[in-house]
Amino acid sequence: MEHLVPDTLLKIFTNNDTSQPIYFQIHVAKSLSEPGKKRLLINDSKWCVNGIFKPNEHQKELENFKKFNIYYSDNYHLATVNSKNFIIFNTLKNIGDGPTVDKDSFQNLEHYLKDHPEINKYEKSLNLANTTTNNNHPTTTHSPSPSPSTNPQSTITKQNNNSSTTPSNISSKFKCFITIDQISAYQTQWSIKARVSFKGDIKTWSNARSSGKLFSFNLMDETGQIKVTCFNAAADKYFDIIQENKAFYITKARVGVANKKFSNLSHACELTFENETILEPCEDEAVAPIKFNFVKLNELANLENNAYVDVLGIIKEVGENRSFTSKATGKEFERRDIVIVDETQTAINVGLWNKTARDFNLDVGTPIAIRDAKINEFNGKQLTLVFTSIIVSNPNVPEAYKLKGWYDKEGSLGNYTNLRSTTTISNNLSSKDSILERLTIKAVNEQKLGYDASKPDFFTLKASVSFIRPENFSYPACSSTDCSKKVIQQSDGTWRCEKCSLNFPTPNHRYIMTASILDETGQMWINLFNEQAQTLIGVDANKLLEIKEKSPTALKNYLNDKVLYKEYAFRIKASLDSYNGQDRVRFQVLSLSNIDPSIEADVLAEQIDKFNF
């Protein structure tokens, strides 16, 4: 036990200091109901105390765990659970074997601190926080909120005089402080201090059983996040009070099992605010600041699709907020794209959605930190925000000050490599880079592109169109400018769009085409939507349908003359699809262009010159 130093554990509590790395032995361990979570009894060769390890963003699992081994941690904090002191470990590193010991051979630190409260600075800090809460913070009440379409302002007022309790003795009910990761349905008394990391809009519902309204928000502390929902009267009471990045003391909220259908947070539980719930604002210093584990932007190119990362960057571009309708669900969405850069001379697109997109008002040149940004792979790497994501502008961290200084000095004038384009070949399919990175159909099949169900593959190839299916190459679509939904012919001969609730005398036909392409190595079936098919055919779907209606021969002659057996460069997305219970790869054309013989010849000549004949 050469690594162990007696009194290490004692000093953590007496100094209230968790900044120093520690070595200890785990001599008792018990697996809890939550996967990967363990309750521990640890010692420093003299004192023993309770500990907990739970999988988190810093360490997903406790690898090669072995009882009686020596462990090291440089990321931990103190917590009180049911009046007992715990050390909560975010990281644990197995150092090596330790001796087998009896659990009764150490002094119980919990009992010692209870007998000597005057030396327990950690306990004193909790008492001070409670005293500050009692003296300085009134309780919050709120009149019914305005409708969601208005722009409500925060209001914090004292509780109504008709209440039987005063702000002081309400605050005294904040007892048994725990961290968010310790919240469970088995605890009857608990309080937390947490920061609002996300706030949603008020939503309404109505069905055969009931109707009402709700809004949800996320709370976070240094250990994680948890979802909170307020229904009906609670939604009216708390909607204006809850504001993003504000910190609160909270107790007496109902704990339930998290409904993963409506939340992608990792916490197994979620909270509901009820009449008995008590909430008071607290000073920012009372809640640990958001912690980040930053990844440089140039490293994102090598990370897996759908991974979650923390990034730090300077806003380089801010796009317009735009609305669109999901083809799959018909729901309206809002999206705004911004571009951030860092000192690696890398730029990446970040997609903001709905309320975040609508309310975004930061200027170009502002440093921002993003926690839990999700990596997407569509036309290259990009980031998108999800419900767990957090944006902090001008973060108070050393990395942000350093990055801002670099940007002001030289970064604002620099050239950047944008991951959205460089990982997918140039948008110009006739460029030298695009030509050099082309694949053949045989290579696509040998590399099994598109067979990974977790992410699509993208590639470019040069091929000739050998056949276009003449039947069902288009569908009758809505004639509205911003709608492409299929329309249904009515008994009176008009065409109705259910989405727009409008009837039209004629439909606007749009392409949904299947074609066969060939190169010197093989054949492939591809799918083209309206824009890509129109580029290939040269006329819109209405015109091609007119040609087909003249006679099948006229359609055949047009395709033979204008399209078939001509070479094109295709940019293709390969993804796994399921049809009648069978998995197959679907090849979707994203863009295409004619072959430029001059550029092709120049590139070929450069490659021949490399052989030094």
Side-chain angles (χ1 to χ4, degrees), residues 209-224:
R209 294 179 297 176
S210 64
S211 62
K213 57 185 171 182
L214 62 88
F215 86 95
S216 299
F217 59 96
N218 296 341
L219 291 172
M220 70 167 297
D221 65 9
E222 66 272 22
T223 67

Side-chain angles (χ1 to χ4, degrees), residues 29 125 166 169 185 225 274 321 455 461 508 564 578:
S125 70
T166 66
N169 56 28
Q225 296 191 76
E274 298 181 319
N321 187 36
K455 65 180 182 68
L461 53 76
N508 176 37
L564 298 185
S578 182

Side-chain angles (χ1 to χ4, degrees), residues 21-220:
I22 58 172
Y23 292 89
F24 53 89
Q25 182 187 37
I26 299 177
H27 60 277
V28 176
K30 178 182 178 183
S31 295
L32 301 179
S33 57
E34 187 173 341
K37 187 174 182 180
K38 290 183 180 294
R39 179 166 178 170
L40 313 169
L41 195 58
I42 67 174
N43 73 80
D44 61 8
S45 76
K46 179 179 179 181
W47 301 97
C48 66
V49 71
N50 290 300
I52 289 178
F53 172 80
K54 177 184 176 182
N56 60 87
E57 61 184 15
H58 303 288
Q59 186 172 332
K60 301 301 183 184
E61 61 180 330
L62 193 54
E63 298 179 351
N64 303 318
F65 175 75
K66 187 178 179 182
K67 194 167 68 169
F68 299 119
N69 274 21
I70 307 300
Y71 285 82
Y72 166 88
S73 179
D74 59 2
N75 190 336
Y76 58 95
H77 61 276
L78 303 179
T80 301
V81 182
N82 295 332
S83 300
K84 291 184 177 180
N85 292 311
F86 281 79
I87 300 179
I88 311 299
F89 294 102
N90 294 322
T91 60
L92 281 178
K93 182 179 180 181
N94 192 336
I95 300 299
D97 293 338
T100 301
V101 295
D102 189 287
K103 67 178 181 178
D104 296 324
S105 59
F106 307 103
Q107 299 182 56
N108 190 305
L109 183 56
E110 177 74 27
H111 295 163
Y112 183 79
L113 294 174
K114 294 293 184 185
D115 294 336
H116 301 84
E118 71 281 358
I119 67 171
N120 190 349
K121 288 187 177 180
Y122 167 66
E123 187 72 26
K124 288 181 179 180
S125 70
L126 293 182
N127 294 336
L128 179 60
N130 284 331
T131 302
T132 304
T133 303
N134 295 341
N135 294 336
N136 295 337
H137 297 294
T139 54
T140 57
T141 60
H142 181 59
S143 58
S145 67
S147 67
S149 60
T150 63
N151 184 21
Q153 300 296 320
S154 298
T155 56
I156 301 178
T157 61
K158 290 186 178 181
Q159 186 166 345
N160 191 299
N161 291 334
N162 294 330
S163 173
S164 60
T165 55
T166 66
S168 177
N169 56 28
I170 287 181
S171 297
S172 68
K173 295 182 180 179
F174 290 105
K175 298 178 179 178
C176 300
F177 276 93
I178 62 174
T179 52
I180 284 178
D181 67 331
Q182 297 167 346
I183 294 176
S184 74
Y186 303 104
Q187 293 171 313
T188 56
Q189 287 190 347
W190 56 267
S191 300
I192 59 172
K193 45 188 179 181
R195 190 183 307 277
V196 179
S197 59
F198 166 80
K199 176 188 175 185
D201 294 325
I202 286 185
K203 299 179 181 180
T204 60
W205 82 89
S206 180
N207 54 43
R209 294 179 297 176
S210 64
S211 62
K213 57 185 171 182
L214 62 88
F215 86 95
S216 299
F217 59 96
N218 296 341
L219 291 172
M220 70 167 297

Side-chain angles (χ1 to χ4, degrees), residues 227-248:
K227 180 182 177 182
V228 184
T229 304
C230 301
F231 292 93
N232 299 321
D236 288 336
K237 179 177 180 181
Y238 292 110
F239 185 77
D240 282 0
I241 296 171
I242 299 298
Q243 298 295 327
E244 288 184 0
N245 210 35
K246 296 295 184 183
F248 297 92

Side-chain angles (χ1 to χ4, degrees), residues 197 220 225 290 292 369-372 386 388-392:
S197 59
M220 70 167 297
Q225 296 191 76
I290 300 171
F292 297 94
I370 305 176
R371 176 170 169 168
D372 280 350
V386 296
T388 58
S389 302
I390 301 168
I391 294 182
V392 178

